[in-house]
């Protein structure tokens, strides 16, 4: 497994990161979750991403249990704070109160003394940035977190965050956006802002909820073991990306994967890892075999001709509208028309 520095920080992370959104505590059993984590470790993945809000905290608990017995110094654990974790007015956002309480809760559930990368899950319009980054800075001074990142912030929000954290230890080192062959929303504004500031991208949904793996075929029912057929919230999220036109176009990517000698899932992950400022890609999985397959994409290098062919195939289905940053669950992607 290849490793890379996270932006211009000194933190080394595995090029493929294992994440447990929509899986641990929701759609797969605890033994299955543990098996996936073990497969990740076997594949050389040592960086794990979760959040306080995933499965109402159960995702952090399951991850902590699955990693029990693995030397803590050999792991990089990332979690997040901001999204609502309760009904109270202070159970959300990036206030000092919520950041401190959420961090302590995450540490307890993960069973660790510190979090390597603590991320602001979204931007909080109601809290002064100075308060937010001072709280992060205090946690760093206390040894409870080591680095600070954000997720789904716009270019202007990133710039404001950098200004607010100037001179503090809590300077932003990473951004976690949704990013894949189809969803290129970060490219016009966020990617250049991150490149200028030395912020690394840890991207999620490189497979577009599994659609880019090619397992969903137009006119056919979703495979019984797929996320679209699973329980919990997963089908709600994936419903947006199962339009017939999209599925037909995705099948046209198969010859590109064949030319590279890899699976379609590996093509999607490898494509993402070759994009500018991308330090790592987060993969989720419900089966150990998926982890092993996707982890292998870290060693794949796609030629310029294959990268260009991806754009030619997907063409007008590619979404690059920067105004959709942080709104991917609230808007229909331009390529999702006709979803069921």
């Amino acid at each position: 497994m290849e490793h890379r520095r996270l932006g211009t920080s000194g933190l080394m992370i595995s090029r493929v990161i294992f994440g447990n959104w929509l899986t641990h505590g929701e759609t797969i059993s605890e033994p299955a979750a543990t098996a996936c984590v073990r497969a990740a470790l076997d594949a050389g993945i040592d960086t794990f991403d979760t959040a306080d809000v995933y499965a109402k905290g159960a995702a952090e608990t399951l991850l902590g249990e699955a990693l029990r017995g693995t030397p803590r110094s050999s792991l990089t654990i990332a979690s997040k704070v901001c999204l609502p974790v309760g009904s109270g007015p202070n159970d959300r956002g990036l206030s000092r109160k919520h950041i401190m309480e959420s961090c302590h809760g995450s540490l307890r559930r993960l069973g660790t003394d510190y979090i390597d990368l603590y991320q602001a899950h979204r931007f909080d319009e109601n809290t002064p940035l100075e308060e937010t980054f001072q709280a992060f800075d205090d946690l760093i001074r206390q040894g409870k977190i080591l680095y600070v990142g954000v997720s789904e912030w716009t270019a202007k929000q990133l710039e404001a965050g950098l200004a607010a954290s100037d001179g503090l230890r809590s300077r932003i080192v990473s951004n976690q956006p949704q990013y894949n062959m189809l969803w290129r929303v970060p490219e016009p504004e966020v990617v250049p802002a991150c490149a200028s500031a030395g912020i690394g991208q840890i991207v999620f949904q490189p497979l577009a909820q599994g659609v880019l793996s090619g397992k969903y075929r137009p006119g056919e029912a979703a495979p019984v073991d797929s996320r679209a057929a699973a329980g919990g919230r997963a089908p709600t999220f994936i419903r947006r990306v199962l339009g017939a036109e999209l599925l037909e176009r995705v099948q046209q990517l198969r010859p590109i994967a064949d030319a590279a000698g890899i699976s379609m899932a590996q093509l999607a992950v490898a494509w993402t890892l070759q994009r500018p400022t991308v330090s790592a890609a987060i993969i989720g999985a419900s089966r150990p075999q998926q982890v092993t397959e996707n982890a292998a994409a870290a060693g794949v290098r796609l030629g310029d001709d294959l990268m260009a062919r991806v754009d030619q195939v997907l063409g007008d289905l590619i979404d690059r509208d920067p105004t959709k940053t942080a709104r991917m669950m609230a808007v229909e992607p331009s390529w999702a028309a006709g979803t069921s």
Side-chain angles (χ1 to χ4, degrees):
M1 173 58 63
E2 181 185 355
H3 287 69
R4 178 167 291 188
R5 290 173 63 196
L6 182 53
T8 54
S9 77
L11 181 63
M12 300 293 292
I13 59 174
S14 53
R15 287 282 270 160
V16 173
I17 294 173
F18 184 83
N20 65 0
W21 177 56
L22 292 181
T23 52
H24 291 191
E26 292 198 55
T27 60
I28 63 176
S29 66
E30 183 174 351
T34 300
C36 287
V37 170
R38 291 299 165 187
L41 292 169
D42 290 343
I45 295 174
D46 56 21
T47 308
F48 296 84
D49 180 82
T50 187
D52 58 355
V53 73
Y54 294 170
K56 300 179 180 179
E60 288 183 321
T61 300
L62 283 173
L63 180 61
E65 288 293 331
L67 292 173
R68 189 181 301 277
T70 304
R72 180 63 181 86
S73 60
S74 69
L75 301 171
T76 298
I77 298 177
S79 194
K80 310 181 192 73
V81 56
C82 187
L83 297 183
V85 293
S87 59
N90 289 309
D91 291 335
R92 67 199 67 205
L94 296 175
S95 68
R96 179 180 183 83
K97 175 178 173 61
H98 184 55
I99 287 174
M100 293 295 181
E101 292 175 346
S102 182
C103 180
H104 293 153
S106 291
L107 291 172
R108 182 179 64 255
R109 288 187 292 271
L110 287 164
T112 184
D113 295 328
Y114 66 94
I115 295 169
D116 298 275
L117 178 65
Y118 203 39
Q119 302 158 101
H121 210 158
R122 291 294 185 272
F123 189 82
D124 180 5
E125 300 280 359
N126 299 313
T127 301
L129 283 170
E130 291 75 14
E131 176 180 339
T132 294
F133 284 96
Q134 186 60 63
F136 284 144
D137 194 74
D138 289 343
L139 287 171
I140 291 176
R141 292 176 183 273
Q142 295 168 16
K144 294 175 181 177
I145 66 174
L146 304 185
Y147 296 89
V148 170
V150 301
S151 178
E152 286 291 331
W153 283 28
T154 66
K156 289 184 178 180
Q157 290 166 350
L158 285 165
E159 291 166 1
L162 288 168
S165 62
D166 187 39
L168 300 176
R169 301 182 189 186
S170 54
R171 184 184 183 280
I172 301 169
V173 301
S174 67
N175 178 49
Q176 187 178 129
Q178 178 186 194
Y179 187 54
N180 54 56
M181 292 176 179
L182 290 160
W183 188 267
R184 315 269 189 97
V185 167
E187 289 182 350
E189 298 177 358
V190 170
V191 169
C194 288
S196 176
I199 295 173
Q201 308 285 328
I202 298 177
V203 304
F204 68 93
Q205 290 192 29
L207 297 181
Q209 293 284 358
V211 171
L212 290 172
S213 71
K215 63 184 175 183
Y216 300 108
R217 296 177 179 271
E220 297 182 11
V224 294
D225 60 348
S226 67
R227 180 171 291 183
R233 297 179 299 145
T236 301
F237 290 111
I238 200 171
R239 177 187 59 80
R240 300 177 182 273
V241 292
L242 292 181
E245 181 182 2
L246 170 66
L247 297 183
E248 290 171 358
R249 201 80 65 89
V250 167
Q251 291 303 315
Q252 296 176 31
L253 295 173
R254 194 173 296 278
I256 302 176
D258 292 341
I262 56 179
S263 69
M264 289 182 66
Q266 290 170 331
L267 174 68
V269 175
W271 179 93
T272 303
L273 291 175
Q274 287 188 216
R275 304 300 294 174
T277 77
V278 173
S279 297
I282 300 172
I283 62 166
S286 57
R287 299 188 305 278
Q289 297 88 337
Q290 294 173 321
V291 179
T292 304
E293 176 186 353
N294 293 336
V300 174
R301 296 294 179 272
L302 301 174
D304 293 342
D305 57 330
L306 295 184
M307 296 288 281
R309 284 173 61 186
V310 169
D311 283 1
Q312 292 169 2
V313 167
L314 298 178
D316 58 339
L317 295 185
I318 297 172
D319 203 329
R320 294 188 174 91
D321 183 357
T323 66
K324 293 181 180 178
T325 300
R327 294 195 299 138
M328 68 282 190
M329 300 307 175
V331 298
E332 289 289 343
S334 59
W335 35 263
T339 55
S340 58

